[in-house]
């Protein structure tokens, strides 16, 4: 019988938290700013015997903030655990992490994919751990050597784990982007993927569905294996890596074989999967409670205080901009940049007296850098001046609109068939004729009334 295979994907996202000091010691947390390797180190983050960890309160605060931003419940009692494995970048032979009692659990991400319906991806947990040192492979005097830089060792690292609710590589990319936006909006991490302060891992399996649409497995039952792709440093590479892995698994399953539980990395240069170590089971990590740190109890008041600090999140800002009349494409760019979004929101709040401020989206896209540099009141007058320089003469605008309608039959038909996005395309074409000087909101009104009248 022919089978249909559905991708089952869960993500693990690590972000280095923006604190002054490291997770369990007073060393500076600035691995990328350090002038030399191994300058921000002490007995604790070098894992020397007898050194005792003291948890960083700020890191816990940022983790709780992140949990709240992802819609999680904050656990009133949490605990650190030791996770054991052996690798040269982990000097203690274990990582202090969280296992059974993370700071946050049970959240969800709700977002639209390509302006279509809402998707909900559940967030299983957000926990706090310490980053490892960094291994550098070099050739010195003709010899291959591995060097270790402990500047990163003990940097606070939050891990976000989703449920396996994701069903395609594209959806995985959108989920990761959504997490990125939230992390940036909350200001808990730089989340710079090129530097490695945000790192992505994807877990992938394929679930079989019988041809008739009846699931071979019970609803909700997951495949009994998963393949993990670790250390991916871009959204685009993650999408590629997942698609490559889906294809690989399809071939194996279609030939009647079983997929081995395994871990891959993504080779950025060759753009292909590369096999890594055989994946440990939880039992191999020999988790047990960290005896040197008592359980952490958080009060309702403390959690409420953090809740109050959280400013509006991207989805809300996005919906707000759309309600203002700003085009979806512009709103997306604005929301993706926290500083820009704050300024634009500031301008919108102050400028309500101009009845129509839809142009602000376009204006923001063309002046992003300037907007970030100047204060809001100055920006408001610049925006107003910019509008004054716009062509609003209706005779001239009508000529542009007429030309655009005649030259873009396809888009005109699309719009008449109900494709709203075609209207913005036509507005864009008019703006091109006008060399950016047309009053966008007037053009939009003219176009839409012209297109609905000359049917
Ligand atoms: P582990 O203990 O091996 O880390 P978890 O059950 O904690 O495994 O899950 C880790 C990640 O793998 C989560 O993001 C989860 O959603 C995902 N995951 C779990 N089972 C599957 C599966 N069968 N297929 C794909 N992803 C899965
Ligand atoms: Mg994992
Ligand atoms: Zn230290």
């Amino acid at each position: 019988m022919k089978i249909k295979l559905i991708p089952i994907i869960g993500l693990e996202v690590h972000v280095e938290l923006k604190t002054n000091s490291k997770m369990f010691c007073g060393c500076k947390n600035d691995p990328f700013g350090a002038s030399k390797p191994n300058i921000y180190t002490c007995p604790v983050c070098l894992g020397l015997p007898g050194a005792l960890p003291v948890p960083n309160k700020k890191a816990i605060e940022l983790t709780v903030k992140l949990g709240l931003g992802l819609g999680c419940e904050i656990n009133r009692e949490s605990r650190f655990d030791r996770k054991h494995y052996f690798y040269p970048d982990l000097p203690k032979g274990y990582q202090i992490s969280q296992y059974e009692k993370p700071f946050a659990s049970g959240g969800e991400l709700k977002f639209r994919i390509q302006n279509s319906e809402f998707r909900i991806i559940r967030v299983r947990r957000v926990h706090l751990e310490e980053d490892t040192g960094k291994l550098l492979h070099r050739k010195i005097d003709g010899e291959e050597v591995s060097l270790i830089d402990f500047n990163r060792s003990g940097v606070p690292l939050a891990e976000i784990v989703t449920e396996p609710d994701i069903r395609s590589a594209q959806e995985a990319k959108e989920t990761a982007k959504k997490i990125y936006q939230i992390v940036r909006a909350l200001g808990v991490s730089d989340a710079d993927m090129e530097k490695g302060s945000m790192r992505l891992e994807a877990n992938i399996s394929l679930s079989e569905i019988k041809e008739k649409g009846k699931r071979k497995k019970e609803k909700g039952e997951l495949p009994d294996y998963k393949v993990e792709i670790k250390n991916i440093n871009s959204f685009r590479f993650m999408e590629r890596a997942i698609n490559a892995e889906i294809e690989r698994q399809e071939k194996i399953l279609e030939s009647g074989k079983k997929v081995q539980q395994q871990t891959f990395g993504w080779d950025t240069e060759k753009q292909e999967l590369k096999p890594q170590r055989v994946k440990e089971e939880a039992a191999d990590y020999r988790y047990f409670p960290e005896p040197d740190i008592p359980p952490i109890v958080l009060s309702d008041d403390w959690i409420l205080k953090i809740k109050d600090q959280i400013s509006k999140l991207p989805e809300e800002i996005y919906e707000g901009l759309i309600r203002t009349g700003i085009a979806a494409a512009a709103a997306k760019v604005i929301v993706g940049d926290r500083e820009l979004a704050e300024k634009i929101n500031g301008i919108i709040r102050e400028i309500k007296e101009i009845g129509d401020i839809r142009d602000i989206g376009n204006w923001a896209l063309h002046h992003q850098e300037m907007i970030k540099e100047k204060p809001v009141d100055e920006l408001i007058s610049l925006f107003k001046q910019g509008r004054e320089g716009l062509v609003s003469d209706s005779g001239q605008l009508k000529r542009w609109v007429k030309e655009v309608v005649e030259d873009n039959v396809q888009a005109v038909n699309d719009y008449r068939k109900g494709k709203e996005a075609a209207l913005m395309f036509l507005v864009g074409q008019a703006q091109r004729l006008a060399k950016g000087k047309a009053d966008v909101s007037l053009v939009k009104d003219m176009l839409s009334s012209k297109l609905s009248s000359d049917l």
Side-chain angles (χ1 to χ4, degrees):
M1 178 185 283
K2 195 169 177 339
I3 49 168
K4 191 171 181 313
L5 298 167
I6 307 253
I8 307 288
I9 303 165
L11 297 184
E12 292 164 281
V13 180
H14 285 95
V15 292
E16 285 180 350
L17 298 176
K18 230 162 47 177
T19 57
N20 293 326
S21 54
K22 289 187 180 180
M23 187 60 226
F24 299 112
C25 60
C27 292
K28 195 169 178 190
N29 169 13
D30 189 15
F32 307 112
S35 58
K36 280 193 294 188
N38 297 310
I39 52 173
Y40 303 139
T41 56
C42 73
V44 173
C45 56
L46 288 172
L48 300 185
L52 287 174
V54 178
N56 180 333
K57 191 169 174 191
K58 184 73 188 178
I60 295 175
E61 188 184 311
L62 297 181
T63 307
V64 167
K65 206 179 219 182
L66 181 56
L68 291 169
L70 294 164
C72 293
E73 277 298 313
I74 302 304
N75 300 314
R76 297 304 189 265
E77 191 182 319
S78 313
R79 194 177 78 197
F80 286 101
D81 297 281
R82 291 186 180 181
K83 176 181 181 179
H84 298 78
Y85 65 93
F86 293 98
Y87 209 63
D89 59 9
L90 187 69
K92 295 193 292 295
Y94 60 85
Q95 178 189 35
I96 304 181
S97 179
Q98 295 190 290
Y99 188 50
E100 273 169 8
K101 292 181 170 182
F103 283 115
S105 43
E108 64 176 38
L109 291 162
K110 193 174 164 203
F111 56 92
R112 287 187 223 252
I113 291 182
Q114 293 191 332
N115 303 324
S116 65
E117 84 283 24
F118 275 106
R119 282 284 289 132
I120 292 183
I121 308 295
R122 289 170 300 158
V123 175
R124 181 182 292 176
R125 57 192 272 142
V126 180
H127 70 250
L128 181 54
E129 56 192 31
E130 53 178 338
D131 210 344
T132 60
K134 204 174 165 71
L135 278 177
L136 303 157
H137 304 287
R138 291 282 152 79
K139 204 167 196 169
I140 295 180
D141 297 336
E143 236 186 301
E144 306 267 357
V145 296
S146 292
L147 304 167
I148 312 177
D149 176 5
F150 287 104
N151 285 338
R152 199 182 69 178
S153 171
V155 163
L157 193 64
E159 177 171 347
I160 300 150
V161 183
T162 79
E163 293 291 346
D165 292 344
I166 299 162
R167 294 291 172 268
S168 71
Q170 195 210 352
E171 215 170 273
K173 185 177 73 177
E174 298 293 331
T175 305
K177 280 189 175 171
K178 182 77 202 167
I179 292 173
Y180 171 83
Q181 278 183 1
I182 291 174
V183 166
R184 296 280 305 176
L186 294 168
V188 299
S189 169
D190 288 333
D192 184 327
M193 292 211 280
E194 254 171 66
K195 284 183 178 162
S197 58
M198 171 161 163
R199 314 194 276 271
L200 307 171
E201 283 169 42
N203 298 272
I204 302 146
S205 64
L206 295 181
S207 185
E208 297 181 11
I209 286 196
K210 278 191 186 155
E211 181 123 283
K212 280 180 195 153
K214 215 175 147 203
R215 282 192 73 131
K216 194 173 168 188
K217 296 180 185 301
E218 290 286 310
K219 203 169 156 35
E221 195 188 327
L222 296 170
D224 58 3
Y225 72 92
K226 64 178 160 37
V227 170
E228 186 170 355
I229 309 175
K230 274 185 134 39
N231 288 328
I232 313 171
N233 67 352
S234 98
F235 299 121
R236 209 155 36 91
F237 293 165
M238 182 174 74
E239 192 179 19
R240 275 192 210 159
I242 293 175
N243 277 327
E245 177 55 18
I246 290 174
E247 240 177 71
R248 193 187 71 88
Q249 291 186 20
E250 272 170 355
K251 282 199 190 117
I252 296 173
L253 292 172
E254 276 160 9
S255 73
K257 292 196 207 107
K258 284 195 118 188
V259 179
Q260 295 299 314
Q261 179 122 335
Q262 195 181 348
T263 302
F264 287 101
W266 180 250
D267 188 323
T268 312
E269 261 152 45
K270 294 190 191 140
Q271 291 288 308
E272 63 184 28
L273 297 165
K274 59 172 181 209
Q276 291 197 339
R277 69 189 156 92
V278 177
K279 170 86 181 134
E280 286 91 346
E281 296 288 328
D284 299 332
Y285 287 130
R286 293 169 296 120
Y287 279 104
F288 65 76
E290 167 59 61
D292 293 332
I293 305 173
I296 308 237
V297 178
L298 303 176
S299 73
D300 290 348
D301 275 0
W302 192 76
I303 295 169
L304 268 180
K305 254 188 224 147
I306 294 174
K307 230 179 210 166
D308 284 344
Q309 293 169 13
I310 298 182
S311 51
K312 273 203 251 169
L313 286 172
E315 198 68 37
E316 279 176 63
I317 298 175
Y318 178 80
E319 297 295 335
L321 292 173
I322 295 288
R323 273 198 300 278
T324 311
I326 288 174
K332 261 206 176 131
V333 175
I334 294 170
V335 168
D337 187 328
R338 189 188 183 198
E339 261 180 283
L340 189 62
E342 276 172 5
K343 285 281 173 66
I344 295 298
N345 271 332
I347 297 172
I348 291 174
R349 260 199 310 276
E350 294 297 319
I351 211 173
K352 293 218 178 79
E353 86 263 22
I354 299 184
D356 191 346
I357 49 172
R358 281 181 284 179
D359 298 354
I360 203 167
N362 235 326
W363 181 76
L365 296 191
H366 286 104
H367 300 93
Q368 286 184 50
E369 290 313 309
M370 175 194 83
I371 291 171
K372 283 194 248 174
E373 278 162 19
K374 293 191 189 295
V376 169
D377 46 353
E378 197 177 321
L379 290 169
I380 290 173
S381 66
L382 284 168
F383 176 64
K384 285 183 181 166
Q385 277 168 27
R387 278 185 59 89
E388 280 156 17
L390 293 179
V391 177
S392 52
D393 165 48
S394 68
Q396 177 60 57
L397 292 178
K398 269 189 189 145
R399 282 193 288 280
W400 282 326
V401 165
K402 184 161 178 280
E403 192 174 335
V404 165
V405 169
E406 282 165 6
D407 288 351
N408 294 279
V409 182
Q410 180 68 48
V412 167
N413 286 338
D414 285 350
Y415 178 67
R416 286 184 172 145
K417 278 187 224 139
K419 197 175 152 197
E420 284 297 316
L423 185 64
M424 282 324 288
F425 170 78
L426 293 168
V427 171
Q429 294 304 305
Q431 198 50 301
R432 253 184 44 189
L433 289 178
K435 302 202 165 59
K437 284 280 169 200
D439 184 322
V440 172
S441 48
L442 288 181
V443 169
K444 196 175 168 194
D445 291 345
M446 270 186 193
L447 265 167
S448 63
S449 66
K450 182 170 176 63
L451 294 182
S452 40
S453 65
D454 14 288
L455 271 171

